C-alpha cells in the first residue's frame, strides 16, 4: 500500500513536472457577506468555539447570551448586544475574543489570529447570517423520540371490522381507513385484467394464451385460490428474479459504466447483477441479502462457492459512480485521500438511502438539517467505509500511466476481486514484476513525447543567445546534455522493458475470474471530522460506529478494531430491531405492486420524507416480514398479492363525487390506478407477444469486450446493444451512465448516479416518436403480424381475436372486431396483406391498453 | 362537475403526465400556475406567466465546448496575447483579429470579462455551466427554463440542443434529472435530423392511419380512466409527437431560405457551413418560439497548439454568429432573444505555460451576452494583467444563471422543485443577479 502510494505521488509530480503546470492555487476572493461564506466559515467556527455555552443546541445561555442566530446576537445577553454589524471594534463579541479587556472569550483560550480576523471581517461586512437559528435545530433539537420512523416496529393488532370484504389482515387496515373517510370501494378487477396485472407485476411479461386459459378457468372455480396458485407458481420461475432484481438494481444505482468525469466501463458489474437475480430467485432472506452486500467478504462461509457469492454481493458498494482525481490543476497531493473520502461518501449514501431510507449525506458538512443525524455520526461511518477498499477495475491513482497500454497488457492487476484466488500466489509475483515495467515504459514514452521539444527550445535559446550569462549558458547546455543522454538510454532501456514484458506475458497462462466488490484495507482506522466537509479542515477524531440516535440495546455492537467495521454495521442495519430496514423494504415491495408506497418517498423516511398513509399497516407488514416470514421477500409478495385490495378494479365507473372530493387519486386504495409498463417490461412484453423473446440468460455482459480505458461514447450504447446479439430480456441490456440505451433514456429509467427506487412514467412526444417510427418497434410489429398469419393462415377474424388475446388478454367486442377487419380489408387494398397486418399489430403495441396494466 | 372536481381531475392529469412520486413530485408552482391560468389546460408545456416582467422570451446559448481563450478573443492582455486586437464599435471594445465579422457586431455585445467557476476540469465544469452544480444529477438550465415558462409553440419541444457532445457528461448536460421528462432537452444531431422522426417504411398517411387506429382504442379505454388522466396524457403525447415530426424537420430544413441569407451565414462554404447551418436553424427556432436553444461548437481545448487551432475555430464561428446577430436584429427578434456565448471555462495566457501551451482556467474568463435585456456595446468586469484571475466585476456561474433567469422573468430563488424531501433550484443556495449589466 505504502509503496503504491509513494509511487503514485512520484508519478503525479512527475506528470505535473512534465506538463510544467506551474499554476499556483490561490485563495478565491470571498464574498464576505454571502450566505455561503457564513455557512462555510463563520457557522462552524462559532459552533466549535461558542456553542457549548451559548446555544439552544447545548441548552445553555451563559449570561443570557445566545450565539446561534443573527437575531440572538443582535439582542445579546446581560452585557448588551454581542454584535454591531459593520463595526467590529464596537462589537462586544470582538472585544471579548481579542482578549484585550475584562471580558475574555472563549474562556479556555484565545482564538487564533485567523479566526479573530474571520469574525472581524464578517461583522465588518454586515454580519450576514440567518435571522433565526442556524445551529441547533439539527440533530439535538430534533427529538428522535418524535420522528415516527425511528420508533420501533410494533406488532399492531388487526382492526376488527365486521365485513366479509377482507381476504387478508391487510384488507382490515385498508377498510378501516376507507370507512373512516366514508369512501366506498369498487368491485374486483375482471379476471382477464387481474391475470395480466399479476403476470406483469411478478415477471414483467404478459401471460401466454395457455396461461390465460389456465387462470380464467381456475378463477371461475375459486378466485382466491386461482390467484394464490398463480402467484406461487410464478414466484418459482426465473423470470421472477429477472423482473424484481431490476427494482433492487434501481435502488443500488447499478450501471455498467462509471459515468462521472471518467466514464469507463465497469466490466464485471454484471456478476453483481446476476447475484441479485439469483438471490431473489433463491429467496435469500432479506436480512442476509443486505448483510452480504455490505460485508459479504467478512461473513462466514461454508464453501468456496458461498464465499465467492458473498464477495460478489459486495459489488453493491463498488458499482457506484466515482469521481476521478485529480480534477484540479495543479495536482494536489491531498487528492488521493480526498478521493477515498468521496468514494466512501458515495457508499455511505447508497447504503443508507438504499437500506434505511435515510439521507445521511447531508451530515458530511453540517449536522443534518432535519433528521437526527449529527456530523459526528457521519464520520463514525466514514471511518468504516474509509477503511474499505473498493475494487472497481481501475487504478485511479496511477495518474499518468497510459491506461491503454495497461489494458493491452492483460497481466496487469486490474484492482478487481479475483474469484479464483488460489492462483494469486502464482500470478501475484508475475504481476509484481510486471507493473513496474508498465509504469517504466510509460515514463519512457512520456519523456519521448515531451523532451525532444524541450531540448529544441533550449537549443534555440542558446542560438538566439539574448543576454544569457555564461552560467546560464552552461546550465542550459548541461540540461540539454542530460536529457539527450537520458533519451538515448531510454531507447535501449525500452527494448529491454518490452522484452521483459514479453517474457512475462509468454509465461502467463492463467484465466483470472474477476469481480467487482470491496475488501478491508490493511490498516482500518478511525477518521477525523472534516469541518464543513472540507478535506483539509480536520477536527475531532471519531470512533467508528453507527447512528447514535437509533439505539437498540441487546447485543454489543463493538467494532473489531482489526477490521473495517462493515461486518458489525451489516448486523446493525439488518437487525430485527432496526426500526427502518424492514419498513423501507416492505414499503418498496408495496410500491412495486400498488404503484405508490405507503410512504410515498421510498428512499426518504426522515423528517423531509412523506408520512405513511397507513402507518399501522406498514408496521403490521414490517413486523410480519421480520417475525412471521423470516425476511422472505417472496412470502411478503404473496401476502400482498392475495389481499383483496390488490385485486380491485382500476376503472372509474363507480367513482362518485365523494371520491373526487375526498381522495381523487385513490391514495387510500378505494380503487387501483393504471400503471405504465416500465422500460424493461415494455420491451420484454413486445418481444414476448411478437414471439421473439429469448428467455435465456446471456453469458456475462457485452461490455467485457469494451476497451476499459476508453471513455464511453454515445455510439457505445448501440454497440453494447448490438454486441448482446440476441433478444434477451432487457435487464441484460447494459446501462451506460450518461449514454443509456434509447429505450431506457426515453422511458424513465432512473438516475443511476444515486439511489432512486421509484421511477416516473410521464408520457412525452419523444417516446411517441420512438414507438411510432423506431425500426425495433417496426420489427416487433412485423414479427407479430407474421406470427398471426402463420398461426391462423386462413381466417382473418381468428387473427384479430388472437391479437386481442396476446396484447390485451381479452377478446374484442363485436364492434371492435368489425372495425379491425374493415381496416385490414382497406389497407390490404392500398398496400399488401402483410403490410396491413403489420400496421394493425403496430397499432396494438402502441396503444394504451398494451402500454399500461390496469 | 363543479370547479373543485375539475381541479382535482386536472391535477390528476398533470400528475399523469409527470407522475413518479405522483402527487409529491409534481406539485409546486407548475401545477398551481397551469391551474390558475387555465383550468382546462392539459399541456404541461403550455406557456406560463413569469414571476416578473421578462426582458427576454428565449435563450440561444452558443456553447464553445473545451474552453475558448479570453486573451485571444475578446480580452487582450498586452505581452500575453498571441493575436492582434483592435478596438471596434462606438464604445471601442477590443476584438481579436481572428474574429473580423463579430467585430462588426460588437455594439450588440455585453462582454462579461470577470467570469469564474469552480472547476478547471472539462466534465465538472461543463456540468456546472449547464446544471449549476458539478458531478451530481441536476436538471439542465434549459429544463429549468422550460419548467418555469413552458413553451411558446405547442408543436415543438421547449428545449432543443443541436450537436451535443458524444463523449463526456453525455445527456446529463441537457437532461431533466428529477424534473418531469417533458422538460428534457431534445437532442438533434449535427446533420440537423431529429431521431425517429422519419419512418423508412411508412409514409405520412400510413403513419396517420396507424396512429388513428391506436388512438381510437386508447381513447375508448381512457373513458374509464379519465380522472386518473394518464391515458389522456398518452394520447396527447402521440399527437404532439406526430406534429413535431413534421414541424421540427421543416423548421430545421434551411434549404428554403433565400440565397442572400444562406450566404450571409456562410452556408455551403468551408469552414462556415456546419455552424452556419446551426445558427440559421437557431434563428428559425427562435422565430418559432422554442424557449431554449443550445448550439454546441466543439474543440476549443487548445493547449500547446492554440496559435494554430484557435484561428481555425474562430473562422468556423465568426461569420455565422455575426450573421445570426444581424439577422435576429433585422427581424426584431434580438429585442427579446438573449444570445449567450462562451465555454465551460477560459484558458491561461500562453506565457503561463513554460511549454508554450494554454491551460484550463476557471478563475477568470470571458463570456458575452447579446439582446434581450442586457446593455449593448458594454464591457463588464476584468481579469488581472495575465488574464489569470477575475479581479473586478466577478460573475460566478451561479450569478450567470441567476441573471439569465432574471432576464426571462424568473426569480432564481423562487424557481424551485421539490424532490427527495427538499426544494432544489438551478442556483442551489447561491447566485446574485448581476444588475450592472441589465439594460
Amino acid at each position: 500500500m505504502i509503496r503504491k502510494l509513494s509511487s503514485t505521488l512520484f508519478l503525479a509530480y512527475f506528470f505535473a513536472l512534465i506538463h510544467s503546470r506551474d499554476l499556483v492555487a490561490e485563495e478565491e476572493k470571498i464574498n464576505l457577506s454571502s450566505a455561503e461564506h457564513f455557512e462555510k466559515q463563520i457557522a462552524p467556527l462559532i459552533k466549535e468555539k461558542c456553542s457549548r455555552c451559548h446555544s439552544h443546541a447545548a441548552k445553555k445561555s451563559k449570561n443570557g447570551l445566545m450565539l446561534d442566530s443573527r437575531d440572538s446576537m443582535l439582542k445579546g445577553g446581560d452585557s448588551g448586544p454581542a454584535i454591531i454589524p459593520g463595526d467590529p471594534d464596537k462589537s462586544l463579541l470582538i472585544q471579548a475574543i481579542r482578549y484585550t479587556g475584562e471580558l475574555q472569550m472563549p474562556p479556555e483560550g484565545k482564538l487564533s489570529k485567523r479566526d479573530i480576523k474571520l469574525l472581524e471581517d464578517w461583522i465588518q461586512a454586515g454580519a450576514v447570517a440567518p435571522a433565526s437559528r442556524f445551529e441547533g435545530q439539527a440533530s439535538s433539537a430534533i427529538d428522535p423520540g418524535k420522528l415516527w420512523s425511528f420508533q420501533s416496529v410494533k406488532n399492531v393488532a388487526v382492526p376488527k371490522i365486521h365485513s366479509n370484504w377482507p381476504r387478508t389482515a391487510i384488507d382490515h387496515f385498508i377498510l378501516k381507513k376507507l370507512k373512516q373517510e366514508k369512501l366506498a370501494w369498487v368491485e374486483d378487477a375482471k379476471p382477464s385484467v387481474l391475470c395480466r396485472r399479476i403476470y406483469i407485476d411478478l415477471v414483467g411479461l404478459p401471460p401466454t394464451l395457455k396461461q390465460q386459459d389456465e387462470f380464467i378457468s381456475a378463477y371461475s372455480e375459486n378466485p382466491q385460490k386461482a390467484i394464490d396458485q398463480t402467484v406461487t407458481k410464478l414466484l418459482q420461475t426465473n423470470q421472477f428474479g429477472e423482473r424484481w432484481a431490476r427494482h433492487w438494481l434501481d435502488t443500488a444505482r447499478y450501471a455498467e459504466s462509471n459515468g462521472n468525469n471518467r466514464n469507463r466501463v465497469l466490466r464485471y458489474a454484471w456478476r453483481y447483477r446476476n447475484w441479485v437475480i439469483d438471490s431473489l430467485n433463491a429467496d435469500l432472506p432479506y436480512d442476509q441479502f443486505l448483510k452480504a452486500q455490505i460485508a459479504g467478504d467478512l461473513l462466514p462461509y461454508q464453501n468456496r462457492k458461498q464465499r465467492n457469492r458473498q464477495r460478489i454481493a459486495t459489488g453493491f458498494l463498488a458499482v457506484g459512480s466515482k469521481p476521478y482525481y485529480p480534477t484540479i490543476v495543479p495536482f494536489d497531493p491531498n487528492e488521493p485521500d480526498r478521493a477515498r473520502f468521496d468514494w466512501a461518501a458515495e457508499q455511505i449514501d447508497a447504503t443508507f438511502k438504499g437500506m434505511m431510507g435515510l439521507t445521511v449525506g447531508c451530515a458530511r458538512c453540517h449536522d443534518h438539517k432535519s433528521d437526527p443525524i449529527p456530523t459526528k455520526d457521519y464520520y463514525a461511518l466514514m471511518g468504516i467505509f474509509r477503511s474499505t477498499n473498493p475494487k472497481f477495475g481501475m487504478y485511479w491513482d496511477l495518474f499518468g500511466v497510459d491506461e491503454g497500454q495497461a489494458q493491452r497488457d492483460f497481466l496487469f492487476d486490474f484492482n478487481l476481486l479475483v474469484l479464483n484466488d488460489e492462483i494469486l500466489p502464482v500470478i501475484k509475483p508475475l504481476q509484481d514484476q510486471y507493473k513496474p515495467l508498465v509504469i517504466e515504459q510509460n515514463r519512457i514514452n512520456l519523456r519521448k513525447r515531451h523532451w525532444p521539444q524541450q531540448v529544441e527550445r533550449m537549443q534555440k535559446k542558446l542560438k538566439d543567445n539574448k543576454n544569457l550569462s555564461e552560467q546560464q549558458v552552461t546550465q542550459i547546455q548541461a540540461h540539454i546534455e542530460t536529457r539527450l543522454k537520458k533519451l538515448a538510454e531510454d531507447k535501449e532501456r525500452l527494448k529491454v522493458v518490452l522484452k521483459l514484458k514479453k517474457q512475462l506475458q509468454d509465461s502467463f497462462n492463467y484465466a483470472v475470474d474477476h469481480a467487482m466488490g470491496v475488501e478491508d484495507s490493511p490498516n482500518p482506522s478511525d477518521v477525523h471530522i472534516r469541518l464543513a466537509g472540507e478535506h483539509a479542515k480536520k477536527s475531532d477524531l471519531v470512533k467508528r460506529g453507527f447512528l447514535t440516535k437509533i439505539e437498540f440495546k441487546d447485543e454489543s455492537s463493538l467494532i473489531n478494531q482489526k477490521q473495517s467495521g462493515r461486518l458489525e454495521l451489516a448486523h446493525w442495519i439488518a437487525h430485527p430491531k432496526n426500526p427502518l430496514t424492514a419498513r423501507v423494504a416492505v414499503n418498496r415491495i408495496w410500491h412495486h405492486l400498488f404503484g405508490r408506497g405507503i410512504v410515498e418517498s421510498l428512499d426518504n423516511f426522515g423528517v423531509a420524507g412523506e408520512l405513511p398513509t397507513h402507518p399501522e399497516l406498514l408496521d403490521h407488514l414490517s413486523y410480519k416480514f421480520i417475525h412471521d416470514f423470516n425476511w422472505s421477500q417472496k412470502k411478503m409478495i404473496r401476502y400482498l398479492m392475495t389481499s383483496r385490495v390488490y385485486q380491485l378494479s382500476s376503472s372509474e365507473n363507480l367513482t362518485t363525487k365523494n371520491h373526487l372530493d375526498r381522495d381523487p387519486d385513490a391514495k387510500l386504495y378505494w380503487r387501483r390506478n393504471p400503471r405504465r409498463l416500465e422500460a424493461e417490461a415494455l420491451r420484454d412484453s413486445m418481444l414476448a407477444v411478437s414471439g421473439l423473446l429469448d428467455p435465456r440468460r446471456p453469458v456475462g455482459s457485452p461490455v467485457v469486450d469494451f476497451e476499459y480505458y476508453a471513455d464511453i461514447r454515445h455510439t457505445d450504447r448501440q454497440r453494447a446493444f448490438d454486441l448482446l446479439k440476441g433478444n434477451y430480456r432487457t435487464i441484460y441490456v447494459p446501462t451506460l451512465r450518461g449514454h443509456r440505451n434509447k429505450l431506457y433514456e426515453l422511458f424513465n429509467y432512473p438516475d443511476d448516479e444515486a439511489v432512486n427506487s421509484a421511477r416516473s412514467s410521464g408520457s412525452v412526444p419523444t417516446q411517441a416518436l420512438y414507438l411510432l417510427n423506431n425500426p425495433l418497434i417496426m420489427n416487433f410489429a412485423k414479427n407479430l403480424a407474421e406470427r398471426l398469419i402463420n398461426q391462423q393462415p386462413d381466417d382473418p377474424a381468428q387473427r384479430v381475436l388472437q391479437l386481442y388475446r396476446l396484447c390485451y388478454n381479452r377478446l374484442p367486442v363485436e364492434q371492435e372486431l368489425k372495425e379491425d377487419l374493415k381496416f385490414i380489408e382497406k389497407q390490404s387494398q392500398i398496400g399488401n396483406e402483410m403490410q396491413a397486418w403489420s400496421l394493425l399489430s403496430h397499432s396494438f403495441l402502441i396503444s394504451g391498453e398494451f402500454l399500461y396494466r390496469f | 362537475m363543479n370547479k373543485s372536481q375539475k381541479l382535482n381531475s386536472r391535477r390528476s392529469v398533470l400528475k399523469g403526465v409527470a407522475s413518479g412520486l405522483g402527487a409529491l413530485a409534481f406539485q409546486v408552482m407548475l401545477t398551481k400556475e397551469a391551474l390558475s391560468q387555465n383550468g382546462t389546460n392539459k399541456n404541461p408545456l403550455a406557456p406560463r406567466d413569469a414571476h416578473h416582467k421578462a426582458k427576454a422570451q428565449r435563450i440561444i446559448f452558443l456553447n464553445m465546448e473545451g474552453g475558448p481563450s479570453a486573451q485571444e478573443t475578446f480580452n487582450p492582455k498586452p505581452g500575453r496575447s498571441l493575436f492582434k486586437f483592435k478596438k471596434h464599435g462606438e464604445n471601442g471594445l477590443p476584438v481579436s483579429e481572428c474574429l473580423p465579422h463579430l467585430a462588426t457586431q460588437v455594439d450588440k455585445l455585453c462582454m462579461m470579462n470577470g467570469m469564474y467557476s469552480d472547476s478547471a476540469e472539462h466534465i465538472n465544469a461543463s456540468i456546472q455551466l449547464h446544471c449549476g452544480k458539478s458531478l451530481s444529477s441536476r436538471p439542465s438550465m434549459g429544463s429549468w427554463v422550460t419548467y418555469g415558462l413552458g413553451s411558446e409553440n405547442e408543436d415543438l419541444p421547449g428545449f432543443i440542443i443541436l450537436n451535443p457532445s458524444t463523449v463526456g457528461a453525455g445527456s446529463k448536460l441537457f437532461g431533466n434529472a428529477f424534473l418531469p421528462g417533458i422538460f428534457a432537452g431534445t437532442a438533434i444531431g449535427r446533420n440537423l435530423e431529429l431521431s425517429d422522426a422519419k419512418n423508412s417504411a411508412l409514409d405520412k398517411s400510413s403513419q396517420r392511419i396507424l396512429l388513428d387506429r391506436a388512438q381510437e382504442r386508447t381513447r375508448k379505454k381512457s373513458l374509464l380512466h379519465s380522472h386518473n388522466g394518464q391515458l389522456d396524457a398518452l394520447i396527447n403525447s402521440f399527437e404532439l409527437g406526430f406534429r413535431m415530426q413534421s414541424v421540427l424537420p421543416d423548421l430545421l430544413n434551411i434549404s428554403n431560405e433565400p440565397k442572400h441569407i444562406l450566404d450571409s451565414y456562410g452556408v455551403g462554404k468551408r469552414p462556415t457551413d456546419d455552424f452556419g447551418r446551426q445558427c440559421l436553424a437557431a434563428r428559425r427556432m427562435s422565430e418559432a418560439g422554442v424557449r431554449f436553444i443550445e448550439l454546441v461548437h466543439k474543440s476549443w481545448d487548445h493547449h500547446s497548439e492554440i496559435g494554430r487551432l484557435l484561428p481555425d475555430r474562430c473562422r468556423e464561428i465568426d461569420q455565422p454568429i455575426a450573421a445570426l446577430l444581424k439577422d435576429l436584429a433585422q427581424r426584431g427578434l434580438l429585442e427579446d432573444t438573449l444570445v449567450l456565448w462562451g465555454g465551460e471555462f477560459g484558458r491561461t495566457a500562453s506565457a503561463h505555460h513554460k511549454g508554450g501551451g494554454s491551460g484550463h482556467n476557471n478563475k477568470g474568463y470571458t463570456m458575452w451576452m447579446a439582446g434581450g435585456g442586457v446593455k449593448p456595446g458594454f464591457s463588464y468586469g476584468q481579469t488581472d494583467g495575465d488574464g489569470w484571475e477575475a479581479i473586478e466585476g466577478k460573475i460566478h456561474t451561479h450569478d450567470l444563471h441567476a441573471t439569465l433567469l432574471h432576464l426571462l422573468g424568473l426569480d432564481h430563488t423562487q424557481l424551485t422543485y421539490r424532490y427527495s424531501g427538499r426544494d432544489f433550484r438551478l442556483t442551489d443556495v447561491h447566485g446574485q443577479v448581476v444588475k450592472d449589466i441589465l439594460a
Side-chain angles (χ1 to χ4, degrees), chain A residues 520-760:
Chain A
D520 273 1
S521 62
N523 304 305
S525 61
D526 300 333
V527 300
H528 291 269
I529 289 183
R530 306 300 160 118
L531 291 176
E534 283 179 35
H535 197 69
K537 290 193 185 155
K538 278 191 185 177
S539 179
D540 302 344
L541 190 69
V542 185
K543 271 208 164 350
R544 278 168 286 159
F546 322 130
L547 300 183
T548 51
K549 308 290 172 186
I550 302 176
E551 284 182 283
F552 33 87
K553 293 180 187 116
D554 69 343
E555 67 186 51
S556 106
S557 46
L558 261 178
I559 287 173
N560 174 354
Q561 291 300 313
K562 285 184 186 144
Q563 290 186 346
S564 58
R566 278 184 292 116
L567 184 61
E568 294 83 354
L569 177 68
H571 288 309
W572 182 82
I573 286 180
H575 195 282
K577 286 194 180 163
N578 187 312
L580 283 150
T581 306
R583 280 192 180 119
V584 168
V586 296
N587 186 57
R588 286 206 188 110
I589 296 176
W590 182 277
H591 167 94
H592 296 314
L593 292 172
F594 288 85
R596 187 195 323 109
I598 296 172
V599 176
E600 204 163 315
S601 49
L602 300 189
D603 305 324
N604 192 345
F605 275 47
V607 173
E610 299 289 307
L611 289 172
T613 51
H614 297 76
E616 294 185 331
L617 173 60
L618 186 61
D619 268 20
H620 165 77
L621 296 173
S622 307
Y623 191 89
K624 225 175 159 60
F625 187 45
I626 302 167
H627 299 283
D628 296 354
F629 296 159
N630 194 20
W631 302 93
S632 158
Q633 296 194 78
K634 285 189 176 178
K635 282 184 183 158
M636 179 51 66
I637 290 168
R638 178 172 164 233
Y639 184 50
L640 298 190
M641 290 179 86
T642 47
S643 70
R644 184 144 200 178
V645 61
Y646 178 79
Q647 298 162 29
L648 289 183
S649 167
S650 65
S651 82
E652 295 172 358
N653 49 350
L654 294 179
T655 303
T656 64
K657 181 174 176 305
N658 188 41
H659 286 126
L660 292 176
D661 286 347
R662 284 170 180 266
D663 184 22
D665 299 326
K667 286 188 177 184
L668 300 179
Y669 308 104
W670 52 273
R671 67 160 164 79
R672 288 192 53 111
N673 280 312
R675 298 169 64 203
R676 208 200 54 218
L677 307 192
E678 301 83 349
E680 294 83 358
L682 194 106
R683 175 171 168 272
D684 291 352
S685 295
M686 287 188 181
L687 283 170
V689 298
S690 56
L692 291 170
L693 183 70
D694 184 340
R696 293 170 304 170
R697 172 187 288 182
V699 176
S701 163
V703 305
V704 175
D705 296 335
F706 277 40
E707 303 80 3
Y708 97 108
Y709 53 87
D711 268 341
I712 295 291
R713 305 181 70 85
H714 197 58
T715 42
D716 286 332
R717 67 179 192 172
Q718 192 56 40
R719 183 176 162 212
F721 190 77
D722 294 342
L723 277 173
L724 193 59
K725 285 192 195 112
N727 291 311
Y728 299 110
R729 291 200 65 173
T730 310
I731 191 170
Y732 299 116
V733 175
T735 60
L736 305 172
R737 289 191 170 110
H739 302 283
R740 304 150 168 181
N741 187 278
K742 203 165 180 181
L743 175 87
Y744 286 134
E745 185 79 45
L746 286 171
F747 290 92
N748 314 88
Y749 184 84
D751 172 23
D752 45 21
E753 304 236 348
V755 171
N756 273 294
S757 304
R759 292 199 188 183
S760 59

Side-chain angles (χ1 to χ4, degrees), chain A residues 419-620:
Chain A
L419 296 178
N420 50 340
D421 49 6
E422 69 277 6
I423 67 164
L424 277 183
V426 191
I427 65 166
K428 197 86 180 65
L430 296 173
Q431 289 180 330
D432 286 348
Q433 293 172 55
Y434 195 74
K435 201 155 147 190
L437 293 172
V438 172
I439 293 171
E440 188 177 359
Q441 183 188 0
N442 192 66
R443 282 179 201 157
I444 292 173
N445 284 337
L446 279 174
R447 282 195 289 267
K448 202 165 127 196
R449 204 183 311 155
H450 294 278
W451 280 13
Q453 290 175 13
Q454 291 177 11
V455 168
E456 216 174 286
R457 267 196 301 276
M458 286 189 277
Q459 282 165 340
K460 188 163 177 286
K461 212 171 183 179
L462 284 182
K463 211 171 134 199
D464 294 351
N465 194 354
K466 285 184 192 146
N467 315 321
L468 291 175
S469 69
E470 208 164 298
Q471 195 191 352
Q472 279 171 320
V473 171
T474 331
Q475 231 171 31
I476 294 175
Q477 276 167 342
H479 272 307
I480 293 176
E481 207 172 305
T482 357
R483 299 212 160 182
L484 287 177
K485 196 172 151 222
K486 185 76 186 162
L487 283 173
E489 283 170 18
D490 278 353
K491 233 181 197 171
E492 292 311 306
R493 177 65 192 162
L494 188 61
K495 282 181 202 156
V496 179
V497 167
L498 290 176
K499 199 175 142 207
L500 288 170
K501 278 176 69 182
K502 178 91 178 33
Q503 279 171 4
L504 281 166
Q505 282 182 5
D506 290 344
S507 68
F508 192 88
N509 192 21
Y510 307 93
V512 187
D513 295 334
H514 284 121
M516 296 184 75
V518 302
E519 57 187 26
D520 273 1
S521 62
N523 304 305
S525 61
D526 300 333
V527 300
H528 291 269
I529 289 183
R530 306 300 160 118
L531 291 176
E534 283 179 35
H535 197 69
K537 290 193 185 155
K538 278 191 185 177
S539 179
D540 302 344
L541 190 69
V542 185
K543 271 208 164 350
R544 278 168 286 159
F546 322 130
L547 300 183
T548 51
K549 308 290 172 186
I550 302 176
E551 284 182 283
F552 33 87
K553 293 180 187 116
D554 69 343
E555 67 186 51
S556 106
S557 46
L558 261 178
I559 287 173
N560 174 354
Q561 291 300 313
K562 285 184 186 144
Q563 290 186 346
S564 58
R566 278 184 292 116
L567 184 61
E568 294 83 354
L569 177 68
H571 288 309
W572 182 82
I573 286 180
H575 195 282
K577 286 194 180 163
N578 187 312
L580 283 150
T581 306
R583 280 192 180 119
V584 168
V586 296
N587 186 57
R588 286 206 188 110
I589 296 176
W590 182 277
H591 167 94
H592 296 314
L593 292 172
F594 288 85
R596 187 195 323 109
I598 296 172
V599 176
E600 204 163 315
S601 49
L602 300 189
D603 305 324
N604 192 345
F605 275 47
V607 173
E610 299 289 307
L611 289 172
T613 51
H614 297 76
E616 294 185 331
L617 173 60
L618 186 61
D619 268 20
H620 165 77

Side-chain angles (χ1 to χ4, degrees), chain A residues 110-125:
Chain A
K110 196 176 164 186
L111 298 182
S112 71
K113 270 189 191 153
R114 181 187 168 273
D115 288 348
I116 295 173
K117 176 133 187 2
L118 260 176
L119 287 167
E120 286 171 350
D121 290 350
W122 169 68
I123 291 179
Q124 181 75 51

Side-chain angles (χ1 to χ4, degrees), chain A residues 751 753, chain B residues 127 131 133-138 172:
Chain A
D751 172 23
E753 304 236 348
Chain B
I127 295 176
C131 314
K133 204 171 151 80
S134 297
L135 296 182
S136 59
S137 286
R138 298 284 171 87
K172 256 190 161 181

Side-chain angles (χ1 to χ4, degrees), chain A residues 260 600 665 756 762 773 820, chain B residues 15 17 21 135 207 213 419:
Chain A
N260 230 311
E600 204 163 315
D665 299 326
N756 273 294
N773 298 331
D820 287 329
Chain B
K15 263 181 285 168
V17 169
L21 294 177
L135 296 182
Q207 253 187 332
R213 198 72 214 113
Y419 169 72

Side-chain angles (χ1 to χ4, degrees), chain A residues 19 22-24 26 28-29 36 260-262 323 327 457 600 604 608 610 650-652 655 657 660-661 664-665 667 673-674 712-714 738-739 742 745 751 753 756 758-765 768-774 778 804 808 819-820 823 827 839-840 842-844 846-849 851-852 854, chain B residues 2 4-5 8 12 15-17 19-24 116 121 123-124 135 137 166-168 170-172 181-182 194-199 201-202 206-207 209-210 213-214 216-218 220-221 224-228 230-231 233-234 237-238 240-241 244-245 352-355 363 388-389 394 419-421 430:
Chain A
H19 284 256
D22 55 339
L23 314 180
V24 183
E26 285 173 37
E28 298 256 335
K29 286 235 166 69
E36 188 193 359
N260 230 311
N261 53 351
R262 284 291 185 282
T327 58
R457 267 196 301 276
E600 204 163 315
N604 192 345
E610 299 289 307
S650 65
S651 82
E652 295 172 358
T655 303
K657 181 174 176 305
L660 292 176
D661 286 347
D665 299 326
K667 286 188 177 184
N673 280 312
I712 295 291
R713 305 181 70 85
H714 197 58
H739 302 283
K742 203 165 180 181
E745 185 79 45
D751 172 23
E753 304 236 348
N756 273 294
R759 292 199 188 183
S760 59
S761 62
S763 294
V764 299
L769 289 177
Y770 180 83
L771 291 171
L772 260 181
N773 298 331
N774 191 280
M778 300 287 291
Y804 272 85
Y808 296 167
E819 279 170 15
D820 287 329
F823 176 87
Q827 291 308 312
L839 270 187
L840 187 66
H842 196 161
S843 81
F844 273 74
I846 66 173
S847 63
E849 202 168 340
L851 297 172
Y852 285 74
F854 292 88
Chain B
N2 64 27
S4 94
Q5 275 176 298
N8 278 333
S12 316
K15 263 181 285 168
V17 169
S19 75
L21 294 177
L24 167 79
Y116 71 106
E121 191 269 344
I123 294 179
N124 292 269
L135 296 182
S137 286
T166 53
V167 287
S171 54
K172 256 190 161 181
I182 192 90
L194 174 64
S195 116
D196 289 328
K198 268 194 204 149
N199 191 316
L202 299 177
S206 311
Q207 253 187 332
I209 288 163
L210 157 67
R213 198 72 214 113
E216 192 186 322
R217 265 185 258 110
T218 306
K220 253 186 227 158
K221 187 80 187 161
L224 281 173
H225 305 280
S226 64
H227 293 298
N228 174 270
Q230 290 186 86
L231 292 188
L234 178 70
S237 74
F238 270 106
L240 178 55
M244 209 166 96
Q245 67 174 0
H352 254 293
H353 273 267
K354 285 179 191 156
K363 297 165 85 71
W388 163 240
E389 186 176 19
K394 289 180 76 170
Y419 169 72
S420 191
H430 315 282

